[in-house]
Amino acid sequence: MKVWPLHATLAAACLLLAAQLSFAQSVALAGLLGSKALVVIDGGQPRSLAVGESHQGVKLVSLQGDEAMVEMGGKRQSLRLGGAPASVGSSGESASGKQIVLSADSRGHFMTQGQINGHSASMMIDTGASFVSLSVAQAEQFGLNYKQGRMQAMITANGVIGSWRVKLASLRVGDVLLYDIDALVSSGAMPYVLLGNNFLGRFQMNRNNDQMVLDKRF
């Protein structure tokens, strides 16, 4: 019978354990402690994590309002305070798409349905906007604590209005998912989330008559 060296046996055991954890691990957001998130991993005791810290292979990427973005095994998942545990290692919440295809409506606008931090939203392409933009009502609907963001002036067709600079943990259109997107929360009314140039800059944009194709660059 062949006897394996102790260090090889231990290495193999660690690799097996890591593989099991990457599929079995579940994470829930149990509470907030100042600038830290209290996460529960695999039903264990709550663990406080600051942004950038990791525990048992789970890293806290961002914390915004009552939502946290965590990462494990190269995949990210948005968690909501009090929500059901999420299987971070599963592929169900990941989006690996590289292309968005949109068709113009009767007014010539490119509309789509998407998600911000896991919340559904109606969106419109706006090449005249510098940033992704949304209203206060939309920000509150998405659970964004926008008043902690930096206040600045926003120039619109109706003049200059106040706005807050925030960071969106995730923005999804179709099968394409982007992380850590800067956005402006406007004090004015907006019927749609505007996908501005900081979103469009992530893509190679081609337009052919009434069709727009966005190919993800990064």
Side-chain angles (χ1 to χ4, degrees):
M1 181 178 67
K2 186 174 181 180
V3 178
W4 291 93
L6 179 59
H7 65 83
T9 303
L10 290 175
C14 289
L15 288 173
L16 178 60
L17 178 60
Q20 291 173 339
L21 285 175
S22 65
F23 287 100
Q25 205 159 41
S26 66
V27 181
L29 181 60
L32 303 173
L33 193 62
S35 60
K36 294 186 177 182
L38 292 176
V39 298
V40 175
I41 302 174
D42 281 347
Q45 293 297 316
R47 171 85 179 199
S48 65
L49 292 178
V51 173
E53 290 184 339
S54 301
H55 181 63
Q56 294 184 16
V58 176
K59 178 181 179 181
L60 180 63
V61 177
S62 62
L63 188 61
Q64 183 79 43
D66 61 354
E67 293 193 2
M69 179 68 70
V70 296
E71 179 179 294
M72 189 189 76
K75 296 179 180 179
R76 295 188 179 189
Q77 170 70 50
S78 179
L79 304 176
R80 189 173 183 83
L81 182 62
S87 180
V88 182
S90 69
S91 59
E93 293 296 331
S94 66
S96 57
K98 300 293 184 182
Q99 187 179 84
I100 300 170
V101 180
L102 302 174
S103 296
D105 62 14
S106 59
R107 300 169 299 169
H109 296 155
F110 290 93
M111 309 292 300
T112 186
Q113 285 295 123
Q115 293 181 346
I116 289 179
N117 294 357
H119 298 276
S120 297
S122 297
M123 302 178 177
M124 183 176 76
I125 299 293
D126 187 356
T127 56
S130 298
F131 293 91
V132 172
S133 302
L134 57 153
S135 68
V136 166
Q138 291 164 335
E140 292 175 347
Q141 177 186 347
F142 304 150
L144 297 175
N145 192 4
Y146 62 92
K147 290 187 178 180
Q148 289 187 351
R150 179 166 56 89
M151 185 77 172
Q152 64 184 66
M154 182 178 181
I155 301 176
T156 70
N158 297 320
V160 179
I161 60 176
S163 63
W164 294 264
R165 185 80 165 264
V166 298
K167 181 81 72 173
L168 305 179
S170 66
L171 193 160
R172 180 171 183 164
V173 178
D175 292 329
V176 177
L177 184 60
L178 303 179
Y179 300 105
D180 301 328
I181 302 293
D182 287 323
L184 292 179
V185 176
S186 167
S187 57
M190 286 188 183
Y192 314 106
V193 173
L194 302 180
L195 299 177
N197 289 320
N198 68 318
F199 169 83
L200 296 172
R202 300 280 193 102
F203 300 86
Q204 177 67 42
M205 182 172 64
N206 293 290
R207 180 171 177 177
N208 183 15
N209 296 323
D210 291 336
Q211 187 177 79
M212 177 182 290
V213 179
L214 301 174
D215 290 298
K216 188 178 178 183
R217 298 193 297 116
F218 62 95

